[in-house]
Amino acid sequence: MIELKIPQELGQEDRLVTEEFQEVLDHAHGEGGARVTVLEGTYHIGSVRLYGHTELHLEEGAHLMGSTDIADYTDWGIPTTLAYAQDPFIARIQGIPPHYTRALITAADAEEVAITGEEGSTIDGVGCTDPAGEEGFRGAMGMRICRCRNVRLSGYTFKRSANWSHQVDSCTNVSFEGVTVLGGHDGFNIHHCTNVEIARCMLKCGDDCIAGFDARNVLVDSCYLNTACNAFRLGATNLFVTRCRIVGPGEYPHILEGTYHMHAAIKYYAVKGDTIREDVCNWRFADCSFENPGRLINYDYGSAKGYQTERPLVDLHLVRCTAEGISQSSFFKGRADVPGTLELEDYQLQYAPDEANVGKLCIQLGEGAKLLQENVSYEGEEPLMGPRVVEEDEMKAEVLKKATK
C-alpha cells in the first residue's frame, strides 16, 4: 500500500479545502488504494468520499472540521439501503428528506476501508443544521459507510454530529475500536450489518448510543455509554454485551427535546417499512452496570410509536449485572405467538420510581412472557414483576395512530 499525505498547508487555511482534500483521496483510488495521512492542522471540508483499500489516518492534532453550510454536503447519488427512510408514512412523520444520507465522509460499495486516528485527533460535524432536514433541523450524517466489507474505525473523536455520527449500513465485518463520540445525535448505527465488534469506545450522545435493526453477530465489549436517549436501541440477532458501563443522565442534551434523562438502557427496534430477515434472538448482557437508566428495558411489541411492530425478540439474558436508580417501569412484552423469555441471573436491581411511576411494577410482562430468576437481589417497594398494564394515554395514542393512517 502506498503512502499519501494531505498537504499540511491545507490545515492552515481558513477556508474550505474540500476539492484539494478529495484530489488526494481520488489519487489513492487511482492507485488501487493507499494510506492517506492527515497531518496536524485544522482542515475545513464539505463532503468527501473514501474508496476501497484505503485508510484515512489522522495524526495527533489533526482536525477535520465540517462546513457550516448544508449546501456543501452531498450523498454522491448513492442509493441508501435504509428502506424505511423512503417509506412515505415514516418519512412524513419524522420529516425525513430525500437527501437524508448526505454525510461529511462517505464510503460505499468498497472493501478494506479504514478511518483511524491518534489520540488528540478529531472529526467535527459542527452541528450544521438543515431547515429542510429530518425533524426540521438535522443536518448531514458524520460518516456514511454503505455496503462495504472489512471496515475498521479506530482512535479518533467525533463531536457535534449534525445527525448520526456513524451511519454504517449493510456492511460485513465492521470494527469500532477506541472511538469517542461527544454530543450530537446517535453514536453508532449498524442497520443491516453482519459481524460488528465495538470495543473500548466512549459514547456520550444526545441521542441513541448504539442503534440499528436487522443486524447479526454484534459484540460490544468494555465500552462507556452515556445518553439522553437510549443506550441500546437495537434489533440484532446474536447480541453480546460484556463489561460495559451504561450511565444516565446524559452529559449532552437530547437536541429535539432539550432533556438529559436516559429513556431506556435497552430498547428493542424493529421498524415497519424495512427488511428484517428473522426473529431476533440470543441477547446476552454480562458483567455490566446500569446507572440511572430511566427504564431498564423497553420491549413493548406492537408499539408503533416505539418502532416495535415487526419481527419479535425471542430472548434476553442479563447475567452478573447491577442496575441502580431505575426510575421508570420496564416493559417486556412480546408478540402473542412469540411472548419471549427474560432471564435475570446473579443480578442486583434497585427500583426508585419517579412520581409518574409510583405504584407501577419494576418489570411489566406481556401475556405468556417467561421470567427466569436465579440469585436476584431486588430493592424497591413495588413488586419486581407482574402483567403488562396498558394505560389510557397509550390507548389514545393507538387510536390516534389508526386515525392518521
Side-chain angles (χ1 to χ4, degrees):
M1 180 179 290
I2 68 169
E3 298 275 347
L4 298 175
K5 293 182 180 179
I6 302 294
Q8 192 168 21
E9 59 267 23
L10 298 180
Q12 315 305 318
E13 297 279 356
D14 189 22
R15 64 176 180 88
L16 286 181
V17 296
T18 312
E19 185 175 342
E20 297 96 321
F21 202 103
Q22 186 63 48
E23 284 177 358
V24 181
L25 298 180
D26 289 344
H27 182 189
H29 181 44
E31 294 287 345
R35 188 175 196 256
V36 179
T37 298
V38 184
L39 303 172
E40 181 179 1
T42 299
Y43 302 77
H44 298 271
I45 58 173
S47 292
V48 296
R49 182 173 180 181
L50 199 63
Y51 295 92
H53 303 281
T54 299
E55 175 185 357
L56 180 64
H57 178 72
L58 280 62
E59 289 194 344
E60 181 180 359
H63 308 290
L64 302 185
M65 184 80 68
S67 172
T68 58
D69 186 347
I70 193 63
D72 293 322
Y73 296 88
T74 180
D75 62 7
W76 301 92
I78 300 168
T80 182
T81 64
L82 304 180
Y84 82 92
Q86 302 168 73
D87 180 275
F89 177 76
I90 295 176
R92 178 171 60 84
I93 294 298
Q94 290 190 207
I96 297 176
H99 54 269
Y100 184 55
T101 53
R102 291 189 292 191
L104 182 60
I105 301 173
T106 293
D109 303 301
E111 294 191 3
E112 308 296 340
V113 173
I115 301 172
T116 63
E118 299 174 11
E119 186 175 357
S121 63
T122 65
I123 304 172
D124 191 341
V126 303
C128 176
T129 58
D130 178 6
E134 181 184 4
E135 297 172 340
F137 71 95
R138 292 202 194 202
M141 304 291 180
M143 297 181 191
R144 179 194 179 197
I145 302 177
C146 178
R147 295 183 299 269
C148 292
R149 178 178 291 272
N150 301 335
V151 177
R152 180 166 55 93
L153 306 169
S154 71
Y156 56 83
T157 293
F158 199 109
K159 60 183 182 180
R160 297 195 295 174
S161 167
N163 206 320
W164 305 344
S165 296
H166 300 78
Q167 184 219 317
V168 184
D169 64 281
S170 303
C171 293
T172 302
N173 303 335
V174 180
S175 170
F176 297 87
E177 170 79 27
V179 173
T180 296
V181 175
L182 301 177
H185 298 270
D186 291 11
F188 302 152
N189 290 72
I190 54 172
H191 303 78
H192 305 303
C193 287
T194 300
N195 302 337
V196 179
E197 182 173 356
I198 302 170
R200 291 168 288 283
C201 293
M202 176 179 288
L203 306 181
K204 297 182 177 181
C205 303
D207 215 309
D208 304 326
C209 287
I210 301 174
F213 49 77
D214 190 45
R216 293 174 173 173
N217 308 332
V218 179
L219 171 64
V220 185
D221 180 52
S222 302
C223 293
Y224 177 91
L225 308 181
N226 173 259
T227 177
C229 199
N230 304 291
F232 293 90
R233 188 186 183 201
L234 283 172
T237 297
N238 301 329
L239 169 65
F240 301 97
V241 181
T242 61
R243 296 177 296 222
C244 289
R245 186 180 174 200
I246 296 94
V247 179
E251 183 173 325
Y252 295 90
H254 189 283
I255 296 174
L256 178 64
E257 298 180 358
T259 55
Y260 290 83
H261 67 277
M262 189 187 300
H263 295 185
I266 305 168
K267 184 173 183 179
Y268 188 61
Y269 192 19
V271 67
K272 184 178 181 180
D274 213 310
T275 300
I276 300 177
R277 292 166 288 182
E278 57 195 345
D279 290 355
V280 171
C281 64
N282 202 16
W283 281 21
R284 183 179 178 87
F285 289 72
D287 302 300
C288 296
S289 64
F290 302 86
E291 303 168 34
N292 307 312
R295 296 189 207 283
L296 178 62
I297 302 166
N298 185 341
Y299 174 42
D300 195 17
Y301 186 84
S303 170
K305 182 179 179 182
Y307 297 112
Q308 301 187 23
T309 57
E310 298 308 297
R311 306 296 285 264
L313 173 63
V314 177
D315 57 309
L316 168 60
H317 309 268
L318 300 167
V319 180
R320 297 186 305 278
C321 295
T322 61
E324 60 182 42
I326 302 170
S327 60
Q328 299 179 44
S329 180
S330 291
F331 309 140
F332 189 84
K333 173 199 161 190
R335 199 169 68 188
D337 59 332
V338 187
T341 297
L342 172 62
E343 180 183 22
L344 307 178
E345 180 181 341
D346 297 327
Y347 206 107
Q348 299 178 40
L349 296 94
Q350 180 199 56
Y351 180 40
D354 59 22
E355 184 177 350
N357 284 268
V358 170
K360 297 181 181 179
L361 303 161
C362 181
I363 302 174
Q364 300 182 39
L365 297 174
E367 186 175 353
K370 184 183 295 184
L371 178 63
L372 306 178
Q373 299 182 67
E374 183 176 342
N375 193 25
V376 175
S377 173
Y378 175 66
E379 179 183 336
E381 294 184 5
E382 282 75 10
L384 171 62
M385 63 173 178
R388 175 77 173 98
V389 177
V390 179
E391 298 186 27
E392 184 178 355
D393 61 340
E394 294 176 80
M395 289 189 285
K396 287 180 180 178
E398 287 297 306
V399 172
L400 178 62
K401 179 195 72 175
K402 292 174 182 176
T404 57
K405 284 186 176 179

